[in-house]
Amino acid sequence: MKHNFGAGPCILPKEVFEEASKAVIDFNGTGLSILEISHRSKEFEEVVIETERLVRELMNVPHGYSILFLQGGASQQFAMVPMNLLPEGAKAAYLDTGVWASKAAKEAKKIGQVEVVASSSDKNYNYIPKDFAIPADAAYFHYTSNNTIYGTEIFEKPATSVPTVVDMSSDILSRKIDVSEFDLIYAGAQKNMGPAGVTLVIIKDELFHKSGRTIPTIFDYEAHAKAGSMYNTPPVFSIYVSMLNLRWLKAKGGIDVIEQENIVKARTLYDEIERNPFFKGTAEVEDRSRMNITFVMNSAEEEAAFLSLAKERNLIGIKGHRSVGGFRASVYNALTITSINALVDAMREFEELNKK
Ligand SMILES: *Cc1c(COP(=O)(O)O)cnc(C)c1O
């Protein structure tokens, strides 16, 4: 058995892969593949409706919000957010907690004015800035709830009265949130919701056309909402597999159940990192992520040796991002405690083999 700790595209439950593979041959007894059916067919319409319903139910999305399934990844949202929400002459507030957060701000700067309210770049983003002020006249405030590369996470929405936009690509569906606190939530599916190719957007309808700008239809949230995510051909297969994954999550007991599992998984690995003298966490303890766990060793030689032991033990995708180095274990919803234990066992084995 392979243990996939990859940061994205990510592990999904085996049952989901099995069912998806069947639908590639014969989707729901239609005699057609999910890859060839019309996105306007009744059968696929039902898929979109169920996927939306599952998102609403699992995340407890209140009335007045639209749920969209778009293409272009989270990176396209970096541009769509300011196009739709930032009026001429107004400014947007951004919190800089890493590469994704700063890319989002960089794209917004191409559309309008941006104020970066705080940054943790001074310490290679190993912590979350605190005590910053969000200007009350900002058109919106944008932040990244989980910093996939650095292993930091923001669990509480920063307090502000301005509309809040959050990039939840790598912690969506991993823990309970109150959607009503947010005005727009987006997430590339491939970190915790489904395969690459679809991006989830949950947007408060009041925000449509808030910027007053003339924007191409394909970038207009309202156009996608009015068309029920069928303004153009949607990513049919990615939506379908996301639906299967959401069904899996619901059958498991939903967000409350998965959140408890995620807490135990993260604690188990962090405990070993703290106990084992060969390993050291890179993120500030109070800001540590539950989804991406980053750690280093004392030397490049040790890291190379542990990486090859990990490979022998079928631990895949644990090499850290080049900007942090060391290791990163991504422990998304579908990763089981069995895989965490396999990693912990390898860390203990390494300790036994190398202690003096
Ligand atoms: C991976 C990632 C992105 C980029 O997602 P794409 O879908 O590849 O554009 C953006 N934000 C966060 C937090 C990510 O983890």
Side-chain angles (χ1 to χ4, degrees):
M1 175 190 172
K2 301 267 188 203
H3 305 282
N4 184 6
F5 291 89
C10 74
I11 184 173
L12 290 170
K14 194 154 174 280
E15 302 93 295
V16 168
F17 290 139
E18 276 163 3
E19 211 171 334
S21 72
K22 281 187 213 146
V24 169
I25 305 300
D26 181 359
F27 171 58
N28 269 1
T30 54
L32 294 174
S33 165
I34 183 73
L35 300 178
E36 67 181 331
I37 62 160
S38 165
H39 62 292
R40 308 268 177 212
S41 64
K42 191 173 104 335
E43 288 84 0
F44 186 68
E45 228 169 67
E46 282 169 8
V47 169
V48 174
I49 289 168
E50 182 176 344
T51 313
E52 178 182 333
R53 204 177 51 225
L54 284 164
V55 171
R56 277 195 193 279
E57 189 181 329
L58 289 163
M59 294 183 68
N60 200 12
V61 179
H63 288 292
Y65 286 78
S66 292
I67 291 173
L68 312 177
F69 303 108
L70 306 181
Q71 307 204 38
S75 299
Q76 181 168 302
Q77 294 308 306
F78 298 167
M80 273 179 81
V81 164
M83 280 188 222
N84 284 269
L85 306 188
L86 184 54
E88 299 276 356
K91 71 177 170 199
Y94 278 72
L95 179 63
D96 177 24
T97 52
V99 164
W100 298 120
S102 67
K103 278 191 175 165
K106 188 176 154 208
E107 293 307 301
K109 274 182 203 155
K110 294 177 182 171
I111 309 291
Q113 238 178 292
V114 166
E115 181 176 328
V116 175
V117 294
S119 171
S120 47
S121 67
D122 59 330
K123 290 188 177 166
N124 197 29
Y125 299 116
N126 76 345
Y127 71 103
I128 300 295
K130 319 266 170 0
D131 301 326
F132 48 85
I134 299 164
D137 61 344
Y140 63 87
F141 167 61
H142 176 283
Y143 76 101
T144 310
S145 56
N146 185 66
N147 299 285
T148 323
I149 294 173
Y150 313 89
T152 62
E153 189 166 1
I154 302 174
F155 291 94
E156 297 270 312
K157 187 194 92 126
T160 173
S161 59
V162 308
T164 299
V165 177
V166 63
D167 175 359
M168 282 199 178
S169 291
S170 51
D171 61 352
I172 192 100
L173 300 164
S174 71
R175 59 187 170 88
K176 199 167 184 171
I177 61 156
D178 178 358
V179 174
S180 71
E181 288 187 332
F182 300 93
D183 297 78
L184 196 162
I185 297 170
Y186 65 89
Q190 72 277 14
K191 304 278 166 56
N192 206 26
M193 188 177 105
V198 64
T199 306
L200 172 69
V201 173
I202 303 175
I203 179 175
K204 205 180 224 176
D205 297 342
E206 286 165 23
L207 260 58
F208 293 147
H209 288 302
K210 192 166 173 265
S211 74
R213 293 174 190 269
T214 303
I215 50 176
T217 313
I218 190 75
F219 299 132
D220 180 358
Y221 289 123
E222 188 174 25
H224 288 286
K226 271 193 174 152
S229 296
M230 298 268 194
Y231 166 71
N232 64 330
T233 316
V236 171
F237 189 63
S238 301
I239 294 173
Y240 175 70
V241 180
S242 298
M243 180 195 79
L244 297 178
N245 190 43
L246 293 164
R247 276 187 189 164
W248 170 85
L249 182 55
K250 185 181 167 180
K252 225 180 142 52
I255 305 269
D256 288 335
V257 169
I258 208 78
E259 179 168 14
Q260 288 313 310
E261 284 187 15
N262 288 335
I263 289 170
V264 173
K265 276 153 49 185
R267 193 194 300 134
T268 304
L269 187 48
Y270 281 125
D271 281 352
E272 178 62 15
I273 291 168
E274 280 172 12
R275 186 206 61 78
N276 192 317
F278 286 87
F279 299 91
K280 189 169 166 292
T282 61
E284 286 294 332
V285 171
E286 61 180 1
D287 298 323
R288 285 190 314 204
S289 167
R290 248 181 233 158
M291 291 283 104
N292 309 96
I293 297 178
T294 49
F295 52 99
V296 293
M297 298 179 77
N298 295 311
S299 69
E301 291 70 38
E302 276 183 10
E303 288 182 353
F306 182 68
L307 197 61
S308 73
L309 175 69
K311 205 170 163 194
E312 278 170 36
R313 299 288 171 267
N314 286 321
L315 304 162
I316 310 299
I318 60 163
K319 198 168 166 32
H321 189 272
R322 61 190 176 281
S323 57
V324 179
F327 301 94
R328 168 177 56 177
S330 297
V331 299
Y332 298 122
N333 285 356
L335 188 105
T336 61
I337 189 79
T338 308
S339 294
I340 298 278
N341 290 336
L343 176 54
V344 167
D345 287 347
M347 293 162 80
R348 290 185 182 159
E349 186 181 348
F350 188 89
E351 182 191 15
E352 281 306 311
L353 289 169
N354 292 282
K355 76 178 172 199
K356 299 193 176 73

